């Protein structure tokens, strides 16, 4: 059998390290493998066997769409170009692409900087390992050009870091101590007692979790509640953080329940808790009023409403979103947040209400005649935005003000096959709400038209009765239909909860 190993080594040595040459190299290797396999066939050997060696050569400056492998005495076989059809990325692949985009400028900045690269290498190695571990084979094929370039930059840094790493010191041989008579320890040493008395005591935290007091630690979305020992006691939503204008170091009085956290008030603010320093500006970066725009097969945020670009580490950056995400759509105004030392952690922290939603929330309820009500009901849309939902006769209770769009909500629920029940959300008596909600399968709370007491009661009854629950921030029918979709699928009650997953 012909020894083809040297030819394969020649091919590998002549493949460049750019993405285009790496892709062409794959095609060349596949063609070479086909020729080697054909050479093992008995019929082929009988007609073409020869003692003369065959050599593979690469044409370096040929068309990219028709790479060739030439053989002495054997006609070259052209390789078909890869299909140019672009397959749209999935939501998971968009997340991976954002992580790759975050790592690219970091790796490029460390090339030919061995001292800086050596300090950051362990962190970069962990990020690369986690990124590749989370990608399936299909994901790696979809992102192959960007991944190849990223791996090449990482290998360059790895090779330049290796010589700069100090060699491990030889371990000293363990010397067994010779047995000696133990010296007595003085138990009543007056000098030791004096030093213990003069040593300063650890300062106590200015709050106590036994008194339902906790300190806030801000996260990308929402915040954690910490005890005086620095242990996490619970997590609150971004809506709650903004309602009480909280920041890291804010001490709050709160009731922590199994399925809910109720914040009473903010007491004061501290700048540290032991070794933990509260500095949101240094740890978390934000981009306010970012505009979500349509771009090809996805959505992206590159500028804000003042036409200022999104910048990460001094360079322009594009935050990508799949079109079918539930957090934001084309034209949405959002706030982005990411950890300062981890740009690929970027996510939507908050979605600002549009002018139409603000106007709808402030508009007073209009009294209309029965005939106009019938006309309005008849003009409502009759097509589902979520055709996959079928409530199959489930009871849907809507907590909303006593005169807010009842007919529209009822028609929307019936459109999805449910049975509507309207509940006056300004009545806070628990007996009234319990009677209305105990038989409900789904509960939708219209937040802008609901009393706080009703909101609190719904959280209590959800644990008791086990219904699915979702929040519509305004009376907008679009937000109501989105809330109905989340409740029917068991998703988080609010869109902030979805963004925090």
């Amino acid at each position: 059998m012909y020894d083809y190993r040297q030819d394969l080594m020649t091919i590998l040595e002549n493949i460049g390290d750019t993405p285009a040459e790496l892709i062409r190299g794959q095609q060349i290797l596949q063609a070479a493998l086909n020729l080697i396999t054909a050479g093992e066939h008995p019929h082929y050997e009988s007609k073409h066997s020869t003692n003369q060696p065959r050599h593979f050569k690469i044409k370096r400056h040929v068309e990219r769409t028709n790479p060739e492998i030439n053989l002495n005495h054997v006609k070259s076989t052209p390789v078909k170009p890869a299909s140019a059809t672009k397959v749209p990325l999935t939501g998971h692949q968009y997340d991976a692409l954002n992580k790759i985009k975050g790592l690219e400028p970091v790796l490029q900045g460390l090339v030919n900087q061995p001292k800086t690269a050596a300090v950051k290498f362990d962190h970069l190695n962990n990020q690369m390992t986690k990124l590749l571990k989370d990608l399936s084979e299909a994901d790696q094929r979809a992102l192959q050009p960007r991944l190849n370039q990223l791996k090449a930059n990482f290998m360059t840094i790895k090779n330049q870091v290796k010589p700069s790493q100090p060699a491990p010191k030889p371990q000293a041989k363990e010397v067994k101590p010779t047995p000696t008579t133990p010296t007595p320890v003085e138990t009543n040493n007056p000098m030791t007692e004096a030093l213990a008395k003069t040593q300063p005591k650890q300062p106590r935290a200015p709050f106590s979790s036994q008194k339902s007091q906790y300190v806030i630690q801000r996260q990308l979305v929402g915040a954690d509640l910490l005890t005086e020992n620095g242990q996490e006691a619970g997590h609150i939503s971004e809506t709650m953080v903004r309602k009480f204008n909280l920041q890291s170091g804010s001490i709050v009085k709160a009731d922590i329940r199994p399925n809910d956290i109720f914040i009473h008030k903010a007491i004061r603010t501290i700048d540290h808790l032991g070794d933990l320093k509260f500095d949101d500006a240094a740890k978390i970066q934000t981009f306010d009023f970012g505009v979500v725009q349509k771009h090809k097969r996805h959505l992206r945020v590159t500028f804000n409403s003042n036409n200022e670009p999104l910048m990460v580490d001094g360079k322009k950056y594009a935050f990508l979103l799949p079109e079918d995400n539930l957090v934001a759509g084309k034209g949405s105004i959002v706030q982005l947040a990411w950890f300062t030392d981890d740009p690929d952690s970027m996510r939507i922290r908050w979605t600002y209400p549009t002018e139409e939603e603000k106007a709808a929330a402030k508009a007073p309820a209009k009294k209309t005649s029965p005939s106009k009500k019938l006309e309005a009901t008849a003009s409502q849309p009759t097509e589902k935005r979520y055709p996959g939902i079928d409530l199959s006769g489930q009871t849907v209770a809507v907590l909303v003000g006593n005169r807010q769009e009842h007919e529209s909500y009822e028609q929307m629920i019936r459109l999805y096959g449910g049975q509507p029940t309207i509940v006056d959300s300004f009545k806070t008596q628990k007996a009234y709400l319990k009677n209305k909600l105990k038989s409900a399968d789904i509960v939708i709370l219209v937040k802008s038209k609901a009393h706080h007491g009703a909101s609190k009661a719904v959280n209590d009854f959800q644990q008791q009765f086990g219904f699915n629950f979702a929040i519509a921030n305004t009376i907008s029918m679009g937000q109501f239909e989105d809330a109905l979709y989340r409740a029917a699928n068991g998703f988080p009650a609010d869109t902030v909860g979805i963004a925090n997953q």
Side-chain angles (χ1 to χ4, degrees):
M1 178 177 178
Y2 172 66
D3 188 353
Y4 53 82
R5 291 176 296 173
Q6 184 60 39
D7 293 327
L8 288 179
M9 291 298 297
T10 303
I11 293 174
L12 291 173
E13 290 173 356
N14 284 275
I15 295 176
D17 59 354
T18 65
E21 288 179 308
L22 287 171
I23 293 172
R24 187 160 63 90
Q26 290 179 345
Q27 297 170 343
I28 293 171
L29 287 171
Q30 184 59 52
L33 180 60
N34 293 339
L35 291 172
I36 292 168
T37 306
E40 296 175 358
H41 195 276
H43 178 69
Y44 183 91
E45 289 288 346
S46 63
K47 296 177 67 175
H48 301 281
S49 60
T50 176
N51 294 327
Q52 297 298 326
R54 297 172 294 176
H55 298 282
F56 291 87
K57 292 183 179 180
I58 300 177
K59 289 187 176 181
R60 297 302 299 255
H61 302 287
V62 297
E63 300 250 347
R64 292 187 180 180
T65 58
N66 190 21
E68 297 179 356
I69 300 174
N70 291 342
L71 292 171
N72 295 340
H73 315 297
V74 180
K75 187 177 180 180
S76 61
T77 305
V79 180
K80 293 183 179 180
S83 174
T85 305
K86 291 186 178 180
V87 179
L89 301 180
T90 64
H92 178 67
Q93 291 168 357
Y94 274 115
D95 292 340
L97 181 58
N98 280 323
K99 293 180 181 180
I100 292 172
K101 285 166 62 64
L103 278 171
E104 282 176 345
V106 178
L107 292 176
Q108 291 174 356
L110 295 177
V111 173
N112 298 325
Q113 296 185 21
K115 292 184 179 180
T116 307
V119 175
K120 297 186 177 182
F121 179 75
D122 289 340
H123 180 64
L124 292 173
N125 189 30
N126 292 336
Q127 285 185 298
M128 285 289 295
T129 303
K130 186 176 183 301
L131 174 64
L132 297 175
K133 182 179 179 182
D134 292 341
L135 292 179
S136 64
E137 293 183 3
D139 295 337
Q140 294 193 29
R141 286 196 298 270
L143 302 171
Q144 188 175 23
R146 301 294 286 265
L147 270 177
N148 288 341
Q149 185 61 44
L150 193 71
K151 290 177 182 177
N153 289 339
F154 180 75
M155 292 305 297
T156 301
I157 293 173
K158 185 176 181 180
N159 292 333
Q160 72 185 26
V161 166
K162 278 184 178 179
S164 65
Q165 292 179 339
K169 296 180 180 179
Q171 295 182 353
K173 294 183 178 180
E174 184 179 357
V175 179
K176 295 183 179 181
T178 57
T180 57
T181 305
T183 56
V185 180
E186 296 184 8
T187 55
N188 298 324
N189 190 334
M191 182 62 71
T192 304
E193 294 178 359
L195 289 174
K197 289 181 180 179
T198 57
Q199 187 175 3
K201 294 182 178 180
Q202 187 72 15
R204 295 179 59 186
F207 65 95
S208 172
S209 58
Q210 294 182 353
K211 298 179 181 180
S212 299
Q213 296 174 352
Y214 305 90
V215 68
I216 293 295
Q217 175 66 63
R218 199 74 162 91
Q219 298 298 330
L220 293 183
V221 179
D224 293 335
L225 272 64
L226 306 181
T227 66
E228 60 270 27
N229 298 323
Q231 297 177 344
E232 183 179 343
H235 183 87
I236 59 175
S237 67
E238 184 70 21
T239 303
M240 195 67 69
V241 171
R242 291 173 181 266
K243 178 179 179 180
F244 289 92
N245 194 25
L246 302 177
Q247 61 184 0
S248 292
S250 298
I251 299 174
V252 298
K253 184 174 179 61
D255 290 335
I256 299 181
R257 302 165 185 171
N259 295 319
D260 183 35
I261 296 178
F262 181 74
I263 303 292
H264 293 278
K265 61 179 179 179
I267 302 173
R268 53 171 292 196
T269 302
I270 58 178
D271 58 3
H272 70 280
L273 178 64
D275 295 332
L276 178 62
K277 294 183 179 180
F278 300 118
D279 189 358
D280 290 341
K283 295 180 180 179
I284 298 177
Q285 302 294 314
T286 59
F287 184 68
D288 296 326
F289 304 106
V291 181
V292 180
Q293 298 176 325
K294 178 75 168 62
H295 181 72
K296 296 182 180 178
R297 296 184 179 89
H298 58 263
L299 303 173
R300 70 177 185 178
V301 179
T302 53
F303 293 90
N304 63 12
S305 55
N306 294 326
N307 207 31
E308 298 169 340
L310 171 60
M311 305 289 289
V312 175
D313 293 335
K315 298 180 180 180
K316 291 183 178 180
Y317 190 86
F319 177 72
L320 305 181
L321 281 169
E323 286 186 284
D324 57 352
N325 78 92
L326 299 177
V327 181
K330 180 182 177 182
S332 296
I333 307 297
V334 299
Q335 183 188 60
L336 303 177
W338 65 96
F339 291 114
T340 303
D341 58 352
D342 187 11
D344 60 1
S345 66
M346 185 180 296
R347 65 195 307 172
I348 293 178
R349 168 180 277 188
W350 185 255
T351 302
Y352 298 99
T354 61
E355 294 299 327
E356 292 78 5
E357 292 173 343
K358 290 180 181 179
K362 293 180 180 179
K366 296 181 180 180
K367 294 183 179 180
T368 56
S369 63
S371 61
K372 289 186 177 181
K373 284 185 178 181
L374 290 174
E375 292 176 2
T377 303
S379 63
Q380 292 296 322
T382 58
E383 293 184 2
K384 297 179 180 180
R385 285 175 55 205
Y386 301 105
I389 299 177
D390 183 7
L391 299 178
S392 302
Q394 296 184 73
T395 301
V396 181
V398 183
L399 282 88
V400 66
N402 56 1
R403 293 182 179 178
Q404 300 295 329
E405 306 292 341
H406 289 190
E407 295 84 0
S408 300
Y409 293 141
E410 290 173 350
Q411 183 181 7
M412 181 68 70
I413 293 167
R414 291 192 180 98
L415 182 63
Y416 283 95
Q419 295 297 325
T421 298
I422 304 299
V423 182
D424 187 352
S425 58
F426 291 116
K427 291 183 179 180
T428 58
Q429 296 87 347
K430 280 201 169 184
Y432 166 79
L433 295 172
K434 181 177 182 180
N435 184 55
K436 291 288 187 180
L437 301 180
K438 64 182 180 181
S439 59
D441 300 298
I442 293 174
V443 174
I444 307 295
L445 173 69
V446 182
K447 192 173 181 180
S448 62
K449 296 296 179 182
H451 192 279
H452 177 68
S455 305
K456 185 172 178 293
V458 170
N459 289 324
D460 296 336
F461 291 141
Q462 185 185 17
Q463 182 179 1
Q464 182 178 353
F465 300 129
F467 50 73
N468 287 354
F469 174 59
I471 296 173
N473 290 316
T474 70
I475 61 175
S476 162
M477 292 306 299
Q479 286 212 10
F480 176 78
E481 195 169 2
D482 291 341
L484 189 64
Y485 170 80
R486 294 197 302 275
N489 287 281
F491 292 157
D494 203 348
T495 54
V496 174
I498 293 178
N500 195 33
Q501 287 187 322

